[in-house]
Amino acid sequence: MLRALIFASALAVPLSAAAFTGGDLNKLCTKTDVASRSACAAYIEGAADGIFNTIDAIGGTTGPRVGQYFCLPQDARSAQLTDAVRKYIAENPNVAGYNASTAISLGLGKAFPCKSGS
């Protein structure tokens, strides 16, 4: 009986969830209130960290390899990451419909490309 109840509850949950897009991220990042700006920076830093760790798990982040999207300098600051992503989205409007983490990868890759032998 409990399984049936759990199954019925699962069916009641909407089957589609809206993804957070590059456009959504850009809207968040253009707001001027402290909470929105902090959320923007935290989202970008978190996604960059997640992408970096995923790449590390599948083969390393010590240089340009298949799947290596960006190479952040040791002294990169949050504002630099945010500016790079916002600039990329502004210059590439089609990215607004992409998943936000994809837009972040592309923006950071443009601003902080890996150099050979990095």
Side-chain angles (χ1 to χ4, degrees), residues 49-86:
D49 190 45
I51 294 162
F52 180 90
N53 287 328
T54 300
I55 293 167
D56 191 42
I58 62 171
T61 55
T62 58
R65 299 180 182 181
V66 174
Q68 183 79 25
Y69 298 113
F70 53 84
C71 292
L72 297 178
Q74 291 289 338
D75 61 347
R77 293 191 306 258
S78 179
Q80 291 173 293
L81 305 183
T82 300
D83 291 346
V85 171
R86 290 187 61 206

Side-chain angles (χ1 to χ4, degrees), residues 13-21 24 99:
V13 176
L15 295 177
S16 66
F20 192 64
T21 66
D24 296 330
N99 183 287

Side-chain angles (χ1 to χ4, degrees), residues 1-14:
M1 181 65 175
L2 183 57
R3 282 187 183 176
L5 182 59
I6 292 171
F7 183 71
S9 297
L11 291 177
V13 176

